[in-house]
Amino acid sequence: MGRLRAAAAGIGRRPQPGTGPAKRSSGRCRETTAPQRGASCPAPAQPSAFHLFVDTAEIEAFRTSLLAWYDRCKRDLPWRRLAESEPDVDRRAYSVWVSEVMLQQTQVATVMDYYTRWMQKWPTLQALADASLEEVNALWAGLGYYSRGKRLQEGARKVVSELAGRMPRTAEELQKLLPGVGRYTAGAIASISYGQATGVVDGNVTRVLCRLRCLGADTSSPPVTEHLWGLAHTLVDRARPGDFNQALMELGATVCSPKAPLCAECPVRPHCWAQRRVEKELEVASRRLLGKAPSSCPPEPDIEECAAGASGSCPLCPPALEPWDGSLRVANFPRKAAKKQPRAERTATCVLERSGRRGEPEFLIVQRPSSGLLAGLWEFPSLLVAPELKEKQQREALAGHVRAQTGTAVAAGRLRHVGEVVHVFSHIHQTYVVYSLLLDGPRAAAPVKREEEPELPASRWVTKADFQAAAVSTAMKKVLQACERQSREEKMPRTVSTSAWARPVSGTTAQHVSALPCVGRAGGVSSFPHAQGTTCLLGPPGHLLFCPWGLRP
């Protein structure tokens, strides 16, 4: 009987911190039944040992292999350098906190520059607490999920004002006392900054653990989530918990990737049940190809299939209706539930432009509400519109909205259509219908609220440089780029091919056009003077850019 078969007969899971003795495993996944009236609620069924780490020697070997690989191969990241070199425990915890919040749903390459600028601007909790939300939003702009920066500052202010500048010292206290700090972030701060032996589970760790122990159920379901946290607490190295947790995340980010894992480079490959499943499938396929019957007794039966999984009763195994896909190999794990499609929205947006004091263009931006999507950020005057709204009605609604923002009557017909800009948020597929309007006459002032009018949002005129430095979303930067692109295209002369030269244009005859002295002389971009005092603009060979004799591009 193999190691895990023996474990299944009576060896249970390690107790998690603060949970007391663990129940012994029966070796099979059992379905729970409702208790009889008046009876005490039975303990939840223990999962099969197939989905656990139960052998002490294997756990120790896993830790050693993973940490040795991490010491050799870890990436040089600014938050790691700071955590290793900072002697002050509160500043160290703050630096880890900032990095973990920024890394939520955001790639490492994107975060590095933001993190460096953030820590240079606000190196301490006190410095962040003293900053304005406007400053925080401005630095965070472009990083996405903007409420993260706001909650981070709220947490810093709470530590300074209510906790005397001292960061909570355990994962439990961090999660309880700091706004926006969840189970994962608390565990990361506590293990990396304080050396608390607590596991962490993020997207990378979830993928690694699911492959190590063939967890194929929906990873967002509560039973699977709790099982993953149990595995993380079991595996974490007691002497180097921070390094171990970072190593597990590093493995998922660089080796055990979602679609193209580098299994040959994996330091914990011998402990991976998904890899053994791949090898078993290849062995069976090879025997069939050679015309040999598959062995009824596989060699070295060190692992066993989950007995309950075969009958479809295991809450951790893949659903019975989702068969193994040989082309995916270990990427059969984890199985994800169907992603909810973001809802579609349409927003009419107007880029209002005026000439500034120095002649440079200025744009009107308004501040969004302090709660909700993109809270507190600045944007061009924008109005959510119904998808079925016709263009005329859309223009009229936007013109009325612009009037409220500027105090100036705007005719809907003056709004110039630029195009559409699509930006996908985590849960919203947003289409911005972009219009532009150049205000004539004296420089328009920001709107002044009358007593009978509702409260208007804050607004200001900014130059392009000020706009880029302000707390504006990536979507608004894309809107401005669309306007600038249209403006450039309109200023560029269009070319006509030689096939158009012989066509009568503007009342001229084909013979007249053919006889123009500029025809056939186009080389580089240059001008050609006519005897009548007019000038043609010539482009590359075969193209006439502009000719005042009558040929128009």
Side-chain angles (χ1 to χ4, degrees), residues 272-534:
C272 181
W273 282 185
Q275 177 59 30
R276 293 198 184 187
R277 172 72 184 269
V278 170
E279 293 169 357
K280 180 179 178 181
E281 294 289 335
L282 290 175
E283 179 188 359
V284 171
S286 177
R287 287 177 173 273
R288 286 175 178 166
L289 186 64
L290 297 174
K292 299 180 180 179
S295 173
S296 58
C297 183
E300 297 295 328
D302 193 48
I303 64 170
E304 61 175 341
E305 297 293 339
C306 176
S311 63
S313 61
C314 175
L316 301 176
C317 283
L321 297 178
E322 297 182 19
W324 173 270
D325 185 343
S327 65
L328 294 177
R329 300 171 70 88
V330 301
N332 276 278
F333 303 97
R335 304 288 180 96
K336 294 185 178 180
K339 189 175 181 181
K340 184 179 180 180
Q341 293 299 313
R343 70 176 186 270
E345 289 187 355
R346 290 179 70 82
T347 297
T349 301
C350 185
V351 179
L352 279 172
E353 181 181 342
R354 74 178 185 184
S355 180
R357 289 189 177 89
R358 299 179 181 178
E360 60 181 327
E362 292 182 345
F363 307 96
L364 181 70
I365 56 176
V366 297
Q367 192 169 31
R368 291 182 60 86
S370 59
S371 61
L373 182 68
L374 307 177
L377 268 65
W378 295 81
E379 65 181 4
F380 297 115
S382 301
L383 179 67
L384 189 66
V385 295
E388 67 276 6
L389 201 65
K390 295 181 179 179
E391 183 179 354
K392 181 180 178 181
Q393 298 170 314
Q394 185 173 273
R395 284 175 177 270
E396 291 173 350
L398 183 58
H401 185 69
V402 169
R403 179 188 178 284
Q405 300 291 338
T406 63
T408 304
V410 174
R414 292 190 60 202
L415 295 178
R416 185 181 179 200
H417 184 255
V418 174
E420 295 186 352
V421 170
V422 175
H423 189 80
V424 181
F425 298 96
S426 59
H427 58 293
I428 300 175
H429 187 280
Q430 183 68 262
T431 299
Y432 293 94
V433 186
V434 184
Y435 295 87
S436 65
L437 177 61
L438 177 61
L439 297 181
D440 303 321
R443 296 175 69 252
V448 178
K449 175 184 175 293
R450 301 185 184 93
E451 290 186 4
E452 66 274 11
E453 291 180 336
E455 189 68 32
L456 296 177
S459 63
R460 57 180 170 143
W461 289 91
V462 294
T463 63
K464 181 180 177 180
D466 293 335
F467 175 83
Q468 296 293 347
V472 296
S473 66
T474 301
M476 286 297 110
K477 292 181 179 180
K478 290 163 70 174
V479 166
L480 182 59
Q481 289 170 359
C483 291
E484 292 177 331
R485 184 166 54 249
Q486 185 192 62
S487 179
R488 286 194 305 268
E489 290 174 353
E490 290 178 346
K491 292 178 181 178
M492 292 177 58
R494 291 177 294 171
T495 63
V496 293
S497 65
T498 54
S499 61
W501 290 4
R503 295 201 300 267
V505 180
S506 300
T508 62
T509 64
Q511 291 77 13
H512 178 201
V513 174
S514 301
L516 289 177
C518 61
V519 174
R521 297 192 50 165
V525 177
S526 59
S527 61
F528 182 85
H530 284 285
Q532 289 81 356
T534 57

Side-chain angles (χ1 to χ4, degrees), residues 3 15 70 72 80-81 97 109 117 134 136 149 174 176 226 240 264 289 299 310 315 320 340 408 429 478 496 499 514:
R3 225 171 28 224
Y70 179 70
R72 294 192 311 269
R80 287 177 180 167
R81 294 196 300 268
W97 185 14
R117 289 189 286 116
E134 176 74 13
V136 171
L174 285 161
K176 179 180 178 181
E226 288 306 311
R240 298 175 61 187
L289 186 64
K340 184 179 180 180
T408 304
H429 187 280
K478 290 163 70 174
V496 293
S499 61
S514 301

